[in-house]
Amino acid sequence: MRQRASLMSGGCMTEENRYLRQIPLIGEEGCRMLQGSTVFIAGAGGLGSPASLYLASAGVGTLRIADMDSVEESNLNRQILHPESRIGENKALSAKKSIEAVNGNCRVEAFPEKVTDASALRLIGDADLIIDCLDNFEARYVLNRAALRLEKPLLHAAVSGFSGQLTLIIPGKTPCLSCIFPQVTTAESSPALGAACGVVGSLQALEAVRVLTGNPTLAGNLLLYDGSSNTLNSFSVKKSVRCPECGCR
């Protein structure tokens, strides 16, 4: 019979041993660090769904989630935060319900509004990490500018079809999003398989845990996932001196 883990004064370990299986990986101190962390997630869709659910399950103390859109039937193949019964509801508010059902100890702050240059700093607030789960580069560049101004790490990901990408931006240390992807335009809608969104969103959650617990990260590298062949490749990325956002920093 497995020995019951002792309780910790921070509440990370509960009587139900909620975090017992991850403690050998990140330690009790890692659990405390997650509990004391605040993460801002922009987007509660295909990427935001798995990312937020796994971060809540891992014990992140506060999630701030922004999404102005409402749940539509066409979202249901990949946006697992939202059941059929919530079609027509705002995604951020729906996400709050689902996440709190997964872990009632996770505080969820829902913002049913658009991430813009005018709102980004307020929405991010005191977050320790910014996670890009958006579906267009115009809004991603807004997050990039906010991350540079606040000097907060930005975890970017995107999915199209079977494939996706992931990188961690550390202002002042790594290339910013505009260095890596200058002047990218995104189609209004692109095909996306739910399982591919799940893989990349899960990778985001895993990377976020590493960032928040002080473990090695992807910083300075771009990870590419090809779902058609189930392969992962990582490439180093370089800062651009011509970048309009960070080239002079």
Side-chain angles (χ1 to χ4, degrees):
M1 181 176 180
R2 178 180 296 160
Q3 184 177 0
R4 193 175 207 38
S6 61
L7 294 173
M8 288 194 321
S9 61
C12 178
M13 292 172 60
T14 68
E15 292 180 356
E16 295 78 22
N17 296 320
R18 182 179 194 111
Y19 305 110
L20 184 63
R21 297 289 290 273
Q22 70 186 40
I23 289 171
L25 301 174
I26 63 173
E28 294 184 358
E29 180 59 25
C31 281
R32 292 191 188 97
M33 294 172 78
L34 292 179
Q35 272 197 319
S37 297
T38 297
V39 175
F40 173 68
I41 300 178
L47 291 172
S49 289
S52 62
L53 287 171
Y54 275 118
L55 289 176
S57 297
V60 169
T62 302
L63 294 178
R64 297 170 63 89
I65 300 178
D67 199 313
M68 66 174 293
D69 293 334
S70 298
V71 180
E72 300 177 358
E73 187 175 3
S74 62
N75 302 149
L76 300 180
N77 79 309
R78 65 198 182 282
Q79 299 184 17
I80 56 176
L81 278 170
H82 316 297
E84 288 182 3
S85 60
R86 295 197 199 135
I87 290 176
E89 291 189 26
N90 171 263
K91 289 182 182 179
L93 298 176
S94 173
K96 177 178 172 68
K97 295 176 185 177
S98 296
I99 294 166
E100 290 179 342
V102 168
N103 188 348
N105 292 321
C106 180
R107 179 186 178 196
V108 182
E109 300 173 353
F111 301 94
E113 55 185 292
K114 187 176 182 179
V115 179
T116 66
D117 283 311
S119 68
L121 301 186
R122 171 177 54 82
L123 294 173
I124 294 167
D126 62 350
D128 303 291
L129 174 65
I130 304 164
I131 300 186
D132 165 21
C133 295
L134 297 167
D135 61 0
N136 68 90
F137 267 87
E138 180 182 359
R140 290 181 177 123
Y141 291 139
V142 169
L143 283 185
N144 184 61
R145 288 190 289 271
L148 292 172
R149 180 172 175 180
L150 295 170
E151 297 184 338
K152 293 179 182 285
L154 169 62
L155 179 53
H156 158 76
V159 173
S160 180
F162 291 94
S163 302
Q165 62 195 30
L166 182 74
T167 192
L168 177 68
I169 295 157
I170 307 293
K173 295 183 178 180
T174 71
C176 79
L177 194 68
S178 293
C179 288
I180 306 170
F181 304 107
Q183 299 180 338
V184 174
T185 56
T186 308
E188 288 190 8
S189 61
S190 59
L193 190 68
C197 294
V199 170
V200 178
S202 297
L203 288 171
Q204 275 189 297
L206 181 59
E207 181 71 1
V209 168
R210 287 199 291 262
V211 174
L212 297 171
T213 57
N215 283 289
T217 68
L218 271 173
N221 292 280
L222 176 66
L223 184 69
L224 300 179
Y225 169 69
D226 184 350
S228 62
S229 58
N230 261 337
T231 56
L232 285 168
N233 290 286
S234 180
F235 303 90
S236 62
V237 286
K238 303 297 183 183
K239 199 169 183 178
S240 172
V241 295
R242 293 190 296 271
C243 176
E245 302 296 342
C246 78
C248 296
R249 298 187 184 211

